[in-house]
Structures are given as C-alpha cells and as structure tokens.
Amino acid sequence: MEDTQQPGGLSAPELAAVRRSLTDGRMAMTRRSLLRAGGAGALALGGLGALSACGIPPAGRTDAGRSVDHSGQEKRVSFSNWTEYLDVSDDGKRRPTLDAFTRRTGIAVKYTEDINDNDEFFGKIQAQLAAGQDTGRDLIVLTDWMCARMIGLGWAQKLDAASLPHARTGLAEPFRDPDWDPGRVHSYPWTGIPAVIAYNTKATGGRTVDSVGQLLEDPELKGRVGFLSEMRDSVGLTLLDMGKRPEDCTADDFDAAIARLQKGVDDRQIRRFTGNDYIDDLSKGDLAACVAWAGDVVQLQRDNPHIAYAVPRAGYMMSTDNLLIPNRARHKKNAERLIDYCYEPKVAARIAAYITYVCPVDGVREELARIDRDLADHPLILPDREMAARSHSFRALNSAESKEFARKFADLTGA
C-alpha cells in the first residue's frame, strides 16, 4: 500500500504515531503497572495488525446512523474505554461503580478496555460507521481531537439533554463549550488531562523547574530533559512559552515552535520524546525534568518524595477524554443514563480518586474528601479558579493540517 493510502486516511507520520502511541503512549502502559514494575510492562499490540491491513474504505461523512433505540426492551449497554480508566475492587474482579449502576437501573454493562490509541481504535470502527452499521458499542471514550473528527464525519449521535440532568448542571465551567463541540451537543468529558512540568528535586539539586524555557535552555538540565511524544502537548506548551495561544495557532506559529524544539534536540538539551514511559526515568533521576501528564504526577508523588511539579506561568495544556455515543448504537437511552450517573458527585468522586486526573464535575470536593483528603486538595485533580484560568487547549485541526503537522512533528522526534 502506498504511503498516501494509509487506512482511515492516515498519512505515514500519523500511522507512525499510532505505532508509537501503542508502545509508549499515554495509555500504552498503565500508570499502576508502570509504577509497580518500574516501566517493564507493556500492552499487547494485537490491534495494530488490523489497522495496518488494506481494504478499509476511506472516511466520508454520513448521517445515516440514528438507529431505533432498543433500550426499553434490552436492559444492557456496551461501554468501551481505555485501560485503568475506571475503578476496580481490591481483588480486581468487580467494577464497583458499574455494579452500583446495574443494581439501581437493572441495566447490565458490558465494559471493555479495548481503546489503546485514538487512531488505532478509529481504525477498528471506521468501516462499520462508514457503512451505517452498528459498531457493537453504545458508549466510547475518545480524546478531544478524535471526537472532533467523529462529530465532523457525522458519526456521533446528538445527546438528549432531558436525559442528562446531572451532567447538564454538574459539568464544570471550563469544559462546557469546546470549539469542536459547542454547547456539548454530542459529548461529555470523562476526564481532563493536564500537561505540566514534572521534576525530580534530587536530580535538580533542589532547584525548581517551572518553564519550558528552562527545560530548553538551562545548562544544568542538559541531556536530562524529556518532552512528550503527543504533539499537541509538547508543541502547545512551547507555543505558550513563546507568548502564543494554541487555540489560535497558525502554521507559522507551529513552525516556530517546532524550530525551537529542534534546537533543543540539536543542542542535546532534550534527552528524548516519550509517552508515559518517562515515569521510571523521572523517578530514578535519569530525567531531571520533563513534560508530564498530571495523573502520572499524582501517582508518582505518592511513591517518591522527590517528585514535584510546576504549572508554567505562561499556562498549561489541557485535553479531555470524552464520552460519545456512536451512530447505530442500539442502546442510546441506556448509554445516556450511564453518562448521567457518572456525573453524580459521589460517583464522579469515586472515579476521580481512582484515575487521578482532573474531574470535570462541579461539587465533588466533599465527596472526594471522604475518600482521600489529599486528593480533594490536589489542584491537578480539582483545579482552583486561578489554575483553571491558565488552562489552554490546542485548536481543532482540519485533515490537511493534521497530516502536515504530524509530519513535521515526526521529523522532529525521529518517529
């Protein structure tokens, strides 16, 4: 197959990013398994072979997807999510949050951890959605930029606001109106994912590291700096440090940020670009400082007193993983009931305590404090108003921009 005909309309750099994300991306190794095993574990790559095969029809917009809802007759819902993204019992055999939902509603939940990467998962379901067929999933969780793609293709169903009373009133203000889904017509956030700076005080000699400029220019950090292999986070933070808004990023802005990061590579200031495999290097001090995801930082701080973090004065990047109901889902109403249930403060607190990322639900502090007072006071889980105001998101990219930006970032990282 030619590079220009990659499945799902992916360019060669985008497909390389899929492979990279499967082996060292944000969810390729679960936070808890990495922290237990020192970075030794990895997920199987079974989904990649299917994605790499030819024969998947090109993505095209279709609105033929609002199937008859069977929720009244079929008391079940199929929910696909990322690994380690929902609480489990101590013995690992039960899902307390979902069990409680089933007891209350009588709706059985088929919960599957089959999302390892946005593009890889998109490759699994694209042919069915393009053909107007049921994917076998009623509820899925995808990152904001992939949600934008799904919505743009007409492959995500509009949500019934009347079925979502807790979600409508409980959604925190910063998450209410993303440019890719104004007014949250099609989606609700599962969690917020801040990208900040993490550092090991033992490795820095007790010095604070609190800006991208310091990461790229401090000679004391040379060769011990990490940036993320996720383009929007690394480029977005660099843009902010340059006084640019990722929400308004132009092609020239992007090129300038890439050039600045390239200098860090050429000067050997940057050790490498990583997924969440930075966890072990940061904990050991092989990386003195790096761009990191907040949930990892919270977990690391529990085990290592030398791990600290900083929110750059210029701002930080926030992405979201979001709940969507795909076209032709058989149990839309049941899926909406599950979305709304997850926005009840007690339920949202239980989920937030487990995944340790930003909770998008207002009014959970008291409930979270009952579980863990330290988590309730942690600004990376419940940002205060000042921190929330410093949050930025990368703007939605069109298909041509996505491929071109991915190519340039792949050239930078050597992917």
Side-chain angles (χ1 to χ4, degrees), residues 215-218 222-225 264 267-271:
L215 289 177
L216 291 173
E217 297 159 12
D218 187 341
K222 185 171 183 177
R224 299 186 297 152
V225 168
D267 293 344
R268 299 189 177 179
Q269 180 80 6
I270 298 174
R271 183 186 184 98

Side-chain angles (χ1 to χ4, degrees), residues 118-120 122 142-151 324:
N118 286 282
D119 279 319
E120 181 256 354
F122 183 81
L142 295 173
T143 306
D144 41 27
W145 58 270
M146 182 55 78
C147 290
R149 186 175 185 180
M150 289 278 291
I151 293 167
L324 287 178

Side-chain angles (χ1 to χ4, degrees), residues 199-207 224 282-285 287-288 304-308:
Y199 57 100
N200 185 319
T201 57
K202 190 174 181 180
T204 66
R207 294 188 311 127
R224 299 186 297 152
L282 182 64
S283 189
K284 291 190 301 186
L287 285 176
N304 188 333
H306 300 297
I307 301 301

Side-chain angles (χ1 to χ4, degrees), residues 1-7 9-16 19 403:
M1 181 181 289
E2 297 293 328
D3 283 349
T4 56
Q5 297 296 321
Q6 299 293 355
L10 299 180
S11 64
E14 289 175 313
L15 188 57
R19 294 191 176 98
K403 291 179 180 180

Side-chain angles (χ1 to χ4, degrees), residues 323-377:
L323 296 151
L324 287 178
I325 299 176
N327 282 0
R328 292 292 180 185
R330 286 180 62 88
H331 310 107
K332 180 175 183 285
K333 188 68 68 176
N334 290 346
E336 289 170 338
R337 289 187 71 178
L338 182 53
I339 293 172
D340 198 59
Y341 168 77
C342 290
Y343 268 74
E344 296 179 16
K346 184 176 291 187
V347 178
R350 185 163 59 232
I351 294 171
Y354 184 82
I355 65 178
T356 66
Y357 277 94
V358 171
C359 181
V361 183
D362 274 336
V364 300
R365 187 177 302 277
E366 184 177 338
E367 295 293 346
L368 188 54
R370 291 193 177 102
I371 300 170
D372 188 318
R373 169 59 67 181
D374 290 341
L375 293 182
D377 293 335

Side-chain angles (χ1 to χ4, degrees), residues 6 50 76 81 106 197 263 271 288 297 307 357 369 376 387 406:
Q6 299 293 355
R76 59 181 181 267
N81 205 345
I197 293 173
K263 186 176 187 304
R271 183 186 184 98
V297 174
I307 301 301
Y357 277 94
M387 181 171 171

Side-chain angles (χ1 to χ4, degrees), residues 6-42:
Q6 299 293 355
L10 299 180
S11 64
E14 289 175 313
L15 188 57
V18 173
R19 294 191 176 98
R20 183 175 67 248
S21 193
L22 282 167
T23 54
D24 66 4
R26 175 164 57 85
M27 285 296 176
M29 295 182 183
T30 67
R31 296 184 294 282
R32 289 164 182 78
S33 64
L34 270 169
L35 292 168
R36 281 198 305 268

